[in-house]
mmCIF file of all heavy atoms in Angstrom:
data_model
loop_
_atom_site.group_PDB
_atom_site.id
_atom_site.type_symbol
_atom_site.label_atom_id
_atom_site.label_comp_id
_atom_site.label_asym_id
_atom_site.label_seq_id
_atom_site.Cartn_x
_atom_site.Cartn_y
_atom_site.Cartn_z
ATOM 1 N N LEU A 86 -12.064 -29.905 -2.605
ATOM 2 C CA LEU A 86 -11.132 -29.475 -1.674
ATOM 3 C C LEU A 86 -10.206 -30.743 -1.298
ATOM 4 O O LEU A 86 -10.829 -31.873 -1.148
ATOM 5 C CB LEU A 86 -11.857 -29.053 -0.469
ATOM 6 C CG LEU A 86 -12.721 -27.788 -0.600
ATOM 7 C CD1 LEU A 86 -13.573 -27.506 0.694
ATOM 8 C CD2 LEU A 86 -11.696 -26.599 -0.752
ATOM 9 N N GLY A 88 -7.032 -32.178 1.147
ATOM 10 C CA GLY A 88 -6.219 -32.030 2.238
ATOM 11 C C GLY A 88 -4.782 -32.316 1.963
ATOM 12 O O GLY A 88 -4.416 -33.012 1.121
ATOM 13 N N THR A 90 -2.711 -34.408 3.420
ATOM 14 C CA THR A 90 -2.192 -35.750 3.514
ATOM 15 C C THR A 90 -2.814 -36.667 2.443
ATOM 16 O O THR A 90 -2.507 -37.805 2.343
ATOM 17 C CB THR A 90 -2.704 -36.348 4.897
ATOM 18 O OG1 THR A 90 -4.067 -36.192 4.999
ATOM 19 C CG2 THR A 90 -2.043 -35.540 6.018
ATOM 20 N N GLU A 91 -3.711 -36.100 1.602
ATOM 21 C CA GLU A 91 -4.424 -36.941 0.530
ATOM 22 C C GLU A 91 -3.491 -37.181 -0.682
ATOM 23 O O GLU A 91 -2.778 -36.164 -0.948
ATOM 24 C CB GLU A 91 -5.804 -36.253 0.231
ATOM 25 C CG GLU A 91 -6.720 -36.112 1.357
ATOM 26 C CD GLU A 91 -8.084 -35.465 0.893
ATOM 27 O OE1 GLU A 91 -8.740 -35.971 0.081
ATOM 28 O OE2 GLU A 91 -8.315 -34.379 1.522
ATOM 29 N N ILE A 121 -5.968 -27.042 4.682
ATOM 30 C CA ILE A 121 -6.622 -28.180 5.070
ATOM 31 C C ILE A 121 -5.716 -29.357 5.314
ATOM 32 O O ILE A 121 -4.673 -29.641 4.515
ATOM 33 C CB ILE A 121 -7.678 -28.677 3.957
ATOM 34 C CG1 ILE A 121 -8.753 -27.620 3.897
ATOM 35 C CG2 ILE A 121 -8.190 -29.994 4.272
ATOM 36 C CD1 ILE A 121 -9.747 -28.074 2.720
ATOM 37 N N ALA A 122 -5.851 -29.931 6.518
ATOM 38 C CA ALA A 122 -4.903 -31.128 6.825
ATOM 39 C C ALA A 122 -5.560 -32.392 6.178
ATOM 40 O O ALA A 122 -4.891 -33.165 5.463
ATOM 41 C CB ALA A 122 -4.701 -31.232 8.306
ATOM 42 N N PHE A 123 -6.777 -32.717 6.572
ATOM 43 C CA PHE A 123 -7.570 -33.910 6.045
ATOM 44 C C PHE A 123 -9.072 -33.851 6.534
ATOM 45 O O PHE A 123 -9.279 -32.947 7.479
ATOM 46 C CB PHE A 123 -6.892 -35.180 6.531
ATOM 47 C CG PHE A 123 -6.787 -35.199 8.083
ATOM 48 C CD1 PHE A 123 -7.753 -35.421 8.953
ATOM 49 C CD2 PHE A 123 -5.443 -34.881 8.628
ATOM 50 C CE1 PHE A 123 -7.497 -35.527 10.262
ATOM 51 C CE2 PHE A 123 -5.292 -34.816 10.044
ATOM 52 C CZ PHE A 123 -6.310 -35.116 10.847
ATOM 53 N N PRO A 124 -9.906 -34.395 5.751
ATOM 54 C CA PRO A 124 -11.279 -34.417 5.962
ATOM 55 C C PRO A 124 -11.491 -35.513 7.267
ATOM 56 O O PRO A 124 -10.738 -36.435 7.441
ATOM 57 C CB PRO A 124 -11.979 -34.862 4.831
ATOM 58 C CG PRO A 124 -10.930 -35.700 4.079
ATOM 59 C CD PRO A 124 -9.620 -35.133 4.464
ATOM 60 N N VAL A 125 -12.637 -35.315 7.962
ATOM 61 C CA VAL A 125 -13.095 -36.146 9.096
ATOM 62 C C VAL A 125 -14.446 -36.620 8.931
ATOM 63 O O VAL A 125 -15.248 -35.722 8.417
ATOM 64 C CB VAL A 125 -12.585 -35.609 10.397
ATOM 65 C CG1 VAL A 125 -11.145 -35.515 10.567
ATOM 66 C CG2 VAL A 125 -13.253 -34.213 10.670
ATOM 67 N N THR A 126 -14.887 -37.485 9.525
ATOM 68 C CA THR A 126 -16.261 -37.971 9.600
ATOM 69 C C THR A 126 -16.758 -37.920 11.035
ATOM 70 O O THR A 126 -16.043 -37.884 11.990
ATOM 71 C CB THR A 126 -16.525 -39.352 9.026
ATOM 72 O OG1 THR A 126 -15.761 -40.359 9.731
ATOM 73 C CG2 THR A 126 -16.141 -39.419 7.574
ATOM 74 N N ALA A 127 -18.087 -37.720 11.218
ATOM 75 C CA ALA A 127 -18.754 -37.590 12.560
ATOM 76 C C ALA A 127 -18.403 -38.785 13.347
ATOM 77 O O ALA A 127 -18.528 -39.994 13.015
ATOM 78 C CB ALA A 127 -20.122 -37.460 12.406
ATOM 79 N N GLY A 128 -17.882 -38.592 14.593
ATOM 80 C CA GLY A 128 -17.633 -39.642 15.547
ATOM 81 C C GLY A 128 -16.098 -40.189 15.415
ATOM 82 O O GLY A 128 -15.728 -40.999 16.238
ATOM 83 N N GLU A 129 -15.314 -39.675 14.411
ATOM 84 C CA GLU A 129 -14.040 -40.157 14.254
ATOM 85 C C GLU A 129 -12.987 -39.731 15.214
ATOM 86 O O GLU A 129 -12.996 -38.355 15.478
ATOM 87 C CB GLU A 129 -13.513 -39.812 12.910
ATOM 88 C CG GLU A 129 -12.183 -40.180 12.476
ATOM 89 C CD GLU A 129 -11.697 -39.675 11.222
ATOM 90 O OE1 GLU A 129 -12.426 -39.155 10.394
ATOM 91 O OE2 GLU A 129 -10.428 -39.875 10.864
ATOM 92 N N ASP A 130 -12.120 -40.518 15.745
ATOM 93 C CA ASP A 130 -10.876 -40.232 16.425
ATOM 94 C C ASP A 130 -9.904 -39.795 15.454
ATOM 95 O O ASP A 130 -9.053 -40.662 15.158
ATOM 96 C CB ASP A 130 -10.480 -41.335 17.427
ATOM 97 C CG ASP A 130 -9.233 -40.964 18.312
ATOM 98 O OD1 ASP A 130 -8.714 -39.881 18.123
ATOM 99 O OD2 ASP A 130 -8.765 -41.785 19.003
ATOM 100 N N TRP A 131 -9.783 -38.659 15.096
ATOM 101 C CA TRP A 131 -8.956 -38.146 13.998
ATOM 102 C C TRP A 131 -7.422 -38.109 14.406
ATOM 103 O O TRP A 131 -6.535 -37.921 13.563
ATOM 104 C CB TRP A 131 -9.347 -36.796 13.354
ATOM 105 C CG TRP A 131 -9.552 -35.670 14.407
ATOM 106 C CD1 TRP A 131 -10.860 -35.253 14.851
ATOM 107 C CD2 TRP A 131 -8.665 -34.880 14.888
ATOM 108 N NE1 TRP A 131 -10.694 -34.206 15.740
ATOM 109 C CE2 TRP A 131 -9.290 -33.910 15.668
ATOM 110 C CE3 TRP A 131 -7.244 -34.697 14.796
ATOM 111 C CZ2 TRP A 131 -8.620 -32.908 16.485
ATOM 112 C CZ3 TRP A 131 -6.632 -33.606 15.495
ATOM 113 C CH2 TRP A 131 -7.297 -32.827 16.268
ATOM 114 N N THR A 132 -7.128 -38.132 15.702
ATOM 115 C CA THR A 132 -5.910 -38.051 16.216
ATOM 116 C C THR A 132 -4.939 -39.388 15.773
ATOM 117 O O THR A 132 -3.881 -39.381 15.752
ATOM 118 C CB THR A 132 -5.732 -37.997 17.690
ATOM 119 O OG1 THR A 132 -6.285 -39.067 18.257
ATOM 120 C CG2 THR A 132 -6.375 -36.723 18.129
ATOM 121 N N GLU A 133 -5.833 -40.511 15.414
ATOM 122 C CA GLU A 133 -5.083 -41.760 15.062
ATOM 123 C C GLU A 133 -4.433 -41.588 13.700
ATOM 124 O O GLU A 133 -3.456 -42.366 13.548
ATOM 125 C CB GLU A 133 -6.152 -42.774 15.046
ATOM 126 C CG GLU A 133 -6.841 -43.228 16.387
ATOM 127 C CD GLU A 133 -7.902 -44.426 16.145
ATOM 128 O OE1 GLU A 133 -8.251 -44.560 15.103
ATOM 129 O OE2 GLU A 133 -8.415 -44.808 17.312
ATOM 130 N N ARG A 134 -4.863 -40.650 12.983
ATOM 131 C CA ARG A 134 -4.024 -40.601 11.621
ATOM 132 C C ARG A 134 -3.506 -39.144 11.462
ATOM 133 O O ARG A 134 -3.044 -38.734 10.434
ATOM 134 C CB ARG A 134 -5.086 -40.825 10.412
ATOM 135 C CG ARG A 134 -6.362 -40.034 10.377
ATOM 136 C CD ARG A 134 -7.328 -40.689 9.397
ATOM 137 N NE ARG A 134 -8.517 -39.965 9.217
ATOM 138 C CZ ARG A 134 -8.773 -39.065 8.254
ATOM 139 N NH1 ARG A 134 -7.937 -38.754 7.379
ATOM 140 N NH2 ARG A 134 -10.001 -38.356 8.203
ATOM 141 N N ALA A 135 -3.543 -38.422 12.531
ATOM 142 C CA ALA A 135 -2.858 -37.012 12.470
ATOM 143 C C ALA A 135 -1.456 -37.057 12.777
ATOM 144 O O ALA A 135 -0.942 -38.113 13.289
ATOM 145 C CB ALA A 135 -3.591 -36.262 13.485
ATOM 146 N N CYS A 144 -7.433 -37.763 22.078
ATOM 147 C CA CYS A 144 -8.737 -37.438 21.750
ATOM 148 C C CYS A 144 -9.575 -37.206 23.006
ATOM 149 O O CYS A 144 -10.502 -36.520 22.885
ATOM 150 C CB CYS A 144 -9.237 -38.715 20.966
ATOM 151 S SG CYS A 144 -10.752 -38.176 20.166
ATOM 152 N N ALA A 149 -12.316 -30.899 20.223
ATOM 153 C CA ALA A 149 -12.899 -31.104 18.937
ATOM 154 C C ALA A 149 -12.649 -32.590 18.508
ATOM 155 O O ALA A 149 -12.868 -32.968 17.430
ATOM 156 C CB ALA A 149 -12.190 -30.176 17.967
ATOM 157 N N CYS A 150 -12.439 -33.468 19.451
ATOM 158 C CA CYS A 150 -12.203 -34.977 19.187
ATOM 159 C C CYS A 150 -12.852 -35.705 20.220
ATOM 160 O O CYS A 150 -12.894 -35.406 21.334
ATOM 161 C CB CYS A 150 -10.728 -35.278 19.185
ATOM 162 S SG CYS A 150 -10.323 -36.956 18.701
ATOM 163 N N PRO A 151 -13.657 -36.766 19.730
ATOM 164 C CA PRO A 151 -13.983 -37.194 18.319
ATOM 165 C C PRO A 151 -14.753 -36.137 17.464
ATOM 166 O O PRO A 151 -15.331 -35.330 18.176
ATOM 167 C CB PRO A 151 -14.642 -38.510 18.544
ATOM 168 C CG PRO A 151 -15.412 -38.360 19.817
ATOM 169 C CD PRO A 151 -14.456 -37.650 20.796
ATOM 170 N N ALA A 152 -14.590 -36.081 16.271
ATOM 171 C CA ALA A 152 -15.290 -35.218 15.422
ATOM 172 C C ALA A 152 -16.673 -35.134 15.650
ATOM 173 O O ALA A 152 -17.372 -36.139 15.469
ATOM 174 C CB ALA A 152 -14.876 -35.376 13.928
ATOM 175 N N PRO A 153 -17.290 -34.186 15.952
ATOM 176 C CA PRO A 153 -18.912 -33.943 16.282
ATOM 177 C C PRO A 153 -19.676 -34.030 14.944
ATOM 178 O O PRO A 153 -20.832 -34.275 15.134
ATOM 179 C CB PRO A 153 -18.953 -32.664 17.060
ATOM 180 C CG PRO A 153 -17.864 -31.783 16.465
ATOM 181 C CD PRO A 153 -16.707 -32.660 16.307
ATOM 182 N N TYR A 154 -18.943 -33.821 13.786
ATOM 183 C CA TYR A 154 -19.746 -33.931 12.623
ATOM 184 C C TYR A 154 -18.771 -34.047 11.498
ATOM 185 O O TYR A 154 -17.453 -33.898 11.656
ATOM 186 C CB TYR A 154 -20.572 -32.615 12.409
ATOM 187 C CG TYR A 154 -19.804 -31.308 12.854
ATOM 188 C CD1 TYR A 154 -18.789 -30.705 11.980
ATOM 189 C CD2 TYR A 154 -20.175 -30.693 13.926
ATOM 190 C CE1 TYR A 154 -18.075 -29.563 12.450
ATOM 191 C CE2 TYR A 154 -19.464 -29.563 14.452
ATOM 192 C CZ TYR A 154 -18.511 -29.127 13.677
ATOM 193 O OH TYR A 154 -17.802 -27.952 14.108
ATOM 194 N N ASP A 155 -19.127 -34.163 10.294
ATOM 195 C CA ASP A 155 -18.246 -34.243 9.124
ATOM 196 C C ASP A 155 -17.521 -32.845 8.890
ATOM 197 O O ASP A 155 -18.371 -31.668 9.059
ATOM 198 C CB ASP A 155 -19.025 -34.572 7.769
ATOM 199 C CG ASP A 155 -19.560 -36.073 7.905
ATOM 200 O OD1 ASP A 155 -19.200 -36.756 8.788
ATOM 201 O OD2 ASP A 155 -20.232 -36.355 7.045
ATOM 202 N N GLY A 156 -16.434 -32.778 8.524
ATOM 203 C CA GLY A 156 -15.802 -31.682 8.296
ATOM 204 C C GLY A 156 -14.204 -31.678 8.019
ATOM 205 O O GLY A 156 -13.699 -32.698 7.479
ATOM 206 N N TYR A 157 -13.442 -30.795 8.212
ATOM 207 C CA TYR A 157 -12.015 -30.690 8.025
ATOM 208 C C TYR A 157 -11.254 -30.250 9.306
ATOM 209 O O TYR A 157 -11.579 -29.424 10.041
ATOM 210 C CB TYR A 157 -11.736 -29.807 6.955
ATOM 211 C CG TYR A 157 -12.414 -30.162 5.547
ATOM 212 C CD1 TYR A 157 -13.574 -29.577 5.290
ATOM 213 C CD2 TYR A 157 -11.755 -30.984 4.745
ATOM 214 C CE1 TYR A 157 -14.252 -29.884 4.120
ATOM 215 C CE2 TYR A 157 -12.458 -31.419 3.394
ATOM 216 C CZ TYR A 157 -13.631 -30.883 3.258
ATOM 217 O OH TYR A 157 -14.187 -31.092 2.058
ATOM 218 N N VAL A 158 -9.982 -30.869 9.368
ATOM 219 C CA VAL A 158 -8.981 -30.489 10.316
ATOM 220 C C VAL A 158 -8.148 -29.601 9.590
ATOM 221 O O VAL A 158 -7.674 -29.755 8.399
ATOM 222 C CB VAL A 158 -8.225 -31.632 10.915
ATOM 223 C CG1 VAL A 158 -7.042 -31.221 11.663
ATOM 224 C CG2 VAL A 158 -9.104 -32.543 11.799
ATOM 225 N N THR A 159 -7.823 -28.388 10.153
ATOM 226 C CA THR A 159 -7.067 -27.397 9.527
ATOM 227 C C THR A 159 -5.737 -26.879 10.303
ATOM 228 O O THR A 159 -5.705 -27.098 11.482
ATOM 229 C CB THR A 159 -7.929 -26.161 9.174
ATOM 230 O OG1 THR A 159 -8.521 -25.668 10.378
ATOM 231 C CG2 THR A 159 -9.014 -26.569 8.152
ATOM 232 N N TYR A 167 -2.460 -28.065 14.879
ATOM 233 C CA TYR A 167 -3.847 -28.052 14.348
ATOM 234 C C TYR A 167 -4.630 -27.060 14.927
ATOM 235 O O TYR A 167 -4.589 -26.889 16.231
ATOM 236 C CB TYR A 167 -4.539 -29.337 14.376
ATOM 237 C CG TYR A 167 -3.737 -30.569 13.531
ATOM 238 C CD1 TYR A 167 -3.353 -31.682 14.277
ATOM 239 C CD2 TYR A 167 -3.611 -30.436 12.167
ATOM 240 C CE1 TYR A 167 -2.702 -32.732 13.513
ATOM 241 C CE2 TYR A 167 -2.987 -31.476 11.539
ATOM 242 C CZ TYR A 167 -2.477 -32.648 12.217
ATOM 243 O OH TYR A 167 -1.805 -33.593 11.414
ATOM 244 N N GLN A 169 -7.685 -27.153 15.635
ATOM 245 C CA GLN A 169 -8.636 -27.900 16.536
ATOM 246 C C GLN A 169 -7.975 -28.391 17.829
ATOM 247 O O GLN A 169 -8.520 -28.537 18.797
ATOM 248 C CB GLN A 169 -9.225 -29.099 15.707
ATOM 249 C CG GLN A 169 -10.237 -28.790 14.511
ATOM 250 C CD GLN A 169 -9.484 -28.080 13.410
ATOM 251 O OE1 GLN A 169 -8.278 -28.441 13.125
ATOM 252 N NE2 GLN A 169 -10.117 -27.242 12.721
ATOM 253 N N PRO A 175 -13.155 -24.922 15.645
ATOM 254 C CA PRO A 175 -13.708 -26.338 15.798
ATOM 255 C C PRO A 175 -13.516 -27.043 14.467
ATOM 256 O O PRO A 175 -12.831 -26.477 13.620
ATOM 257 C CB PRO A 175 -15.181 -25.977 16.051
ATOM 258 C CG PRO A 175 -15.483 -24.755 15.473
ATOM 259 C CD PRO A 175 -14.164 -23.927 15.589
ATOM 260 N N ILE A 176 -13.964 -28.195 14.322
ATOM 261 C CA ILE A 176 -13.882 -28.910 13.077
ATOM 262 C C ILE A 176 -14.537 -28.109 12.013
ATOM 263 O O ILE A 176 -15.731 -27.540 12.401
ATOM 264 C CB ILE A 176 -14.463 -30.315 13.216
ATOM 265 C CG1 ILE A 176 -13.734 -31.253 14.080
ATOM 266 C CG2 ILE A 176 -14.709 -30.991 11.760
ATOM 267 C CD1 ILE A 176 -12.372 -31.660 13.716
ATOM 268 N N VAL A 177 -13.934 -27.865 10.917
ATOM 269 C CA VAL A 177 -14.505 -26.794 10.046
ATOM 270 C C VAL A 177 -15.518 -27.506 9.109
ATOM 271 O O VAL A 177 -15.331 -28.328 8.324
ATOM 272 C CB VAL A 177 -13.305 -26.292 9.075
ATOM 273 C CG1 VAL A 177 -13.949 -25.312 7.982
ATOM 274 C CG2 VAL A 177 -12.345 -25.634 10.067
ATOM 275 N N ARG A 178 -16.852 -27.068 9.283
ATOM 276 C CA ARG A 178 -17.803 -27.576 8.327
ATOM 277 C C ARG A 178 -17.627 -26.961 7.027
ATOM 278 O O ARG A 178 -17.147 -25.903 6.756
ATOM 279 C CB ARG A 178 -19.190 -27.149 9.027
ATOM 280 C CG ARG A 178 -19.664 -27.763 10.242
ATOM 281 C CD ARG A 178 -21.063 -27.113 10.510
ATOM 282 N NE ARG A 178 -21.609 -27.727 11.755
ATOM 283 C CZ ARG A 178 -22.332 -28.817 12.031
ATOM 284 N NH1 ARG A 178 -22.572 -29.590 10.782
ATOM 285 N NH2 ARG A 178 -22.821 -29.198 13.110
ATOM 286 N N GLU A 179 -18.160 -27.867 5.992
ATOM 287 C CA GLU A 179 -17.871 -27.360 4.538
ATOM 288 C C GLU A 179 -18.682 -26.134 4.320
ATOM 289 O O GLU A 179 -18.212 -25.177 3.540
ATOM 290 C CB GLU A 179 -18.374 -28.535 3.597
ATOM 291 C CG GLU A 179 -17.958 -28.207 2.179
ATOM 292 C CD GLU A 179 -17.831 -29.453 1.404
ATOM 293 O OE1 GLU A 179 -17.971 -30.510 1.842
ATOM 294 O OE2 GLU A 179 -17.714 -29.368 0.022
#
Side-chain angles (χ1 to χ4, degrees):
L86 296 172
T90 62
E91 298 178 67
I121 293 178
F123 48 83
V125 296
T126 57
E129 177 186 353
D130 178 358
W131 51 265
T132 62
E133 294 179 351
R134 57 192 180 99
C144 196
C150 189
Y154 42 77
D155 295 351
Y157 297 93
V158 172
T159 55
Y167 295 119
Q169 292 67 34
I176 297 295
V177 178
R178 291 183 181 271
E179 188 158 353

